Amino acid sequence: MIKNIKDFQNVFFIGVAGVGMSAIAQYLKGIGKEVSGSDRYFHPGEYNKTKEQLEAEGINCFLQDGSGITEKTDLIVVSTAIEDTVYEVQKAKELGIPISKRSELLSIIAKSKKTIAVAGTSGKSTTSAMLYQILLDANLEPSIISGAGLTSIIKQGKIGNAAVGKGDWLIIEADESDGSVVQYEPEIGLLLNIDKDHQEIDELIELFTTFKNNTNSLFVVNQSNTLAKSLSTNSKNDFGFKDKNAGYSAENFKQEGLFLTFEVLNQKFQMNSLGQHSVENATAAIAVANQIGIDLKTCAESLAMYEGIYRRHQILGQKNGVWVIDDYAHNPAKCAASIKACQPLAEKVIAWFQPHGYKPTRFLKDDFIQEIADALRPQDEIWMSEIFYAGGTAIKDISANELIEGIKAKDKKAHFVEDRNDLLEALKPKLNPGTVLLLMGARDPSLETFCKELFENL
């Protein structure tokens, strides 16, 4: 049984190309472990960018055929998506190699550092990235294991979702979707929000209460989110948006085009970003950074240079007077916030969304319909293509068109284009100057290419 980061040296990841898995793989390589892995997206003779980037870091990549697992392997790591029937899992069991879930390994890594765990149903990756940037600019030499690539690290040719620093602090995301948030015992726990996503509200409250109780030192919550606020230990430690109860409240928020400004404790902040949710995420990062000794002026200087993260309101560009924005939004609250954030930019927002997974879409159907409908102005439109199917044994008992029909029933402009490859042709007559085209979706590896190609063909 692996209990300590010193208990293993040679580790193999099954599903190493996944964003959560590749981040831990790179971190372990960065602290001197021997790391290798396989993935079902690796095919003979076929180029794979993630594989190339992992190999550039010294991580050996194999086909998912068992060839990478040997007697030297002393730990196997699997994600929640890897089932026991996978041949490599069977081989590991035959060889008697310990098998750890990704989240279990992350909790072991977290115990080896002074860890800041960022939790909540929305904004974890963005806030983690902002916090990392602030600590980096304060010369604290932090480490990060993230669920998304930071633009500043991607520019170095890396995947961008992990970095190893010489300092004491490690920033991680504590995920509630698989319940793993309860495994972490961080120095600092940060709770951004609680909204219905993968579980019912009462289940989420239970998970985040355990997360609070497991936090060793400082626990910070969002006073502007009703459910998160209920778990506050001291409002003076907390953050909020125009919330006088919070020790760190964002005031005087203004959005002008792609540029926003706000104040916290009379310190002025400016960022290249969009929307109230971005301000809340930034204020969360400020609250934590300030309470570990970083002054507000340093926070402001750092956030002014913050470059964002991969596929989080990523601006692909403007063509023929139409801004095209790519975003990872995938639950009702995130989709609604994403649409609202684009509205100050243009007279009209045309949003497209590809839901992922039949089970989550069914679970959140009514919430998607209500929240997207509420976010749309009379002139705005929502378009959807069919649900992304990642394989497995899912029952295909719902269509994205059911969400569209529900939104239409609320007198909003909603359209279904089953095959996303037909989307641009259908949209072209509507893409007039002064429009924002917002493309939303998650967990489909081909979305990045799809969105870039759509922009290029606009």
Side-chain angles (χ1 to χ4, degrees):
M1 184 72 179
I2 304 290
K3 292 185 177 178
N4 189 290
I5 198 149
K6 294 176 182 174
D7 290 348
F8 64 92
Q9 178 59 27
N10 195 314
V11 56
F12 186 92
F13 288 77
I14 303 175
V16 71
V19 67
M21 296 282 272
S22 65
I24 298 177
Q26 291 167 91
Y27 178 85
L28 291 176
K29 184 64 183 176
I31 63 168
K33 303 291 184 185
E34 291 299 317
V35 183
S36 54
S38 65
D39 202 277
R40 65 189 171 121
Y41 289 110
F42 298 161
H43 301 295
E46 188 178 297
Y47 174 74
N48 184 288
K49 185 180 179 182
T50 303
K51 180 174 180 283
E52 181 183 69
Q53 290 170 314
L54 289 169
E55 289 179 334
E57 297 290 316
I59 295 168
N60 294 321
C61 293
F62 296 86
L63 302 180
Q64 209 166 68
D65 59 5
S67 58
I69 299 171
T70 69
E71 285 79 4
K72 289 183 180 178
T73 309
D74 50 23
L75 178 64
I76 300 286
V77 187
V78 296
S79 70
T80 49
I82 303 296
E83 297 171 345
D84 284 350
T85 52
V86 171
Y87 171 67
E88 288 184 313
V89 176
Q90 298 295 319
K91 182 175 180 180
K93 287 179 176 177
E94 284 171 20
L95 293 171
I97 304 168
I99 299 172
S100 172
K101 286 209 164 27
R102 182 198 70 85
S103 56
E104 291 167 352
L105 179 56
L106 183 53
S107 72
I108 290 168
I109 293 169
K111 285 176 183 141
S112 70
K113 303 281 280 185
K114 284 172 73 174
T115 294
I116 302 167
V118 182
T121 45
S122 301
K124 292 186 289 293
S125 297
T126 300
T127 307
S128 297
M130 290 174 175
L131 196 47
Y132 172 76
Q133 190 64 52
I134 293 170
L135 268 62
L136 194 67
D137 293 336
N139 299 316
L140 294 183
E141 298 187 69
S143 300
I144 186 170
I145 297 172
S146 174
L150 282 67
T151 302
S152 58
I153 303 175
I154 290 171
K155 282 183 174 178
Q156 300 167 31
K158 300 173 185 286
I159 297 172
N161 53 354
V164 177
K166 294 175 184 174
D168 295 333
W169 290 105
L170 166 66
I171 299 159
I172 67 166
E173 294 179 37
D175 193 3
E176 81 293 339
S177 66
D178 58 3
S180 62
V181 66
V182 302
Q183 296 180 19
Y184 308 112
E185 297 173 6
E187 186 79 9
I188 297 173
L190 173 58
L191 179 57
L192 301 173
N193 39 54
I194 304 175
D195 296 297
K196 188 177 174 185
D197 189 350
H198 301 274
Q199 294 103 330
E200 296 288 0
I201 293 297
D202 57 347
E203 292 176 55
L204 291 169
I205 293 285
E206 190 176 330
L207 288 171
F208 289 128
T209 299
T210 303
F211 174 63
K212 177 180 84 167
N213 294 338
N214 287 346
T215 298
N216 291 315
S217 177
L218 176 68
F219 192 67
V220 177
V221 308
N222 184 354
Q223 284 281 327
S224 299
N225 181 272
T226 305
L227 294 170
K229 179 180 179 177
S230 70
L231 296 181
S232 174
T233 56
N234 184 344
S235 63
K236 296 302 171 201
N237 300 334
D238 297 340
F239 70 99
F241 185 84
K242 295 182 181 175
D243 195 313
K244 297 301 182 186
N245 290 323
Y248 297 83
S249 176
E251 304 289 337
N252 302 322
F253 164 55
K254 288 179 186 165
Q255 175 91 48
E256 291 180 16
L258 304 171
F259 184 76
L260 58 80
T261 57
F262 62 100
E263 292 177 18
V264 177
L265 296 173
N266 299 316
Q267 171 69 52
K268 288 185 167 60
F269 288 83
Q270 59 184 43
M271 296 175 65
N272 292 308
S273 197
L274 291 174
Q276 178 184 322
H277 66 293
S278 295
V279 174
E280 286 191 31
N281 292 336
T283 309
I286 293 160
V288 172
N290 189 236
Q291 289 178 88
I292 62 171
I294 301 172
D295 62 78
L296 294 176
K297 185 170 179 287
T298 300
C299 294
E301 289 169 352
S302 179
L303 289 173
M305 303 302 290
Y306 171 68
E307 295 181 85
I309 58 175
Y310 168 74
R311 291 202 64 234
R312 290 350 185 243
H313 270 120
Q314 190 172 0
I315 296 160
L316 298 182
Q318 187 183 41
K319 268 192 186 176
N320 308 319
V322 177
W323 282 104
V324 181
I325 296 174
D326 181 12
D327 192 50
Y328 194 77
H330 59 280
N331 71 21
K334 288 175 184 172
C335 289
S338 194
I339 292 166
K340 288 176 185 173
C342 292
Q343 287 167 343
L345 294 180
E347 283 299 309
K348 181 175 183 176
V349 174
I350 295 178
W352 171 81
F353 176 49
Q354 177 183 273
H356 75 272
Y358 290 88
K359 186 177 177 182
T361 304
R362 193 185 326 110
F363 178 63
L364 295 168
K365 175 185 170 184
D366 293 342
D367 302 86
F368 271 124
I369 291 168
Q370 190 63 55
E371 297 214 32
I372 291 175
D374 288 347
L376 295 171
R377 300 170 297 186
Q379 67 268 37
D380 296 333
E381 299 183 17
I382 179 73
W383 291 64
M384 290 188 199
S385 295
E386 197 50 279
I387 297 163
F388 171 65
Y389 172 59
T393 55
I395 302 166
K396 299 180 183 180
D397 59 353
I398 186 170
S399 166
N401 193 34
E402 292 178 44
L403 276 58
I404 288 297
E405 291 301 325
I407 295 167
K408 271 187 193 171
K410 293 184 178 293
D411 294 323
K412 297 298 170 82
K413 294 173 180 169
H415 309 272
F416 181 62
V417 176
E418 183 174 3
D419 184 343
R420 71 185 190 188
N421 294 317
D422 299 328
L423 178 68
L424 184 57
E425 205 56 44
L427 281 179
K428 271 184 175 174
K430 295 171 173 283
L431 295 175
N432 301 315
T435 300
V436 166
L437 175 58
L438 170 65
L439 306 168
M440 302 183 292
R443 303 205 168 94
D444 173 355
S446 68
L447 270 173
E448 176 191 15
T449 304
F450 169 74
C451 294
K452 284 181 177 174
E453 287 179 353
L454 188 145
F455 173 67
E456 286 164 9
N457 295 321
L458 202 59

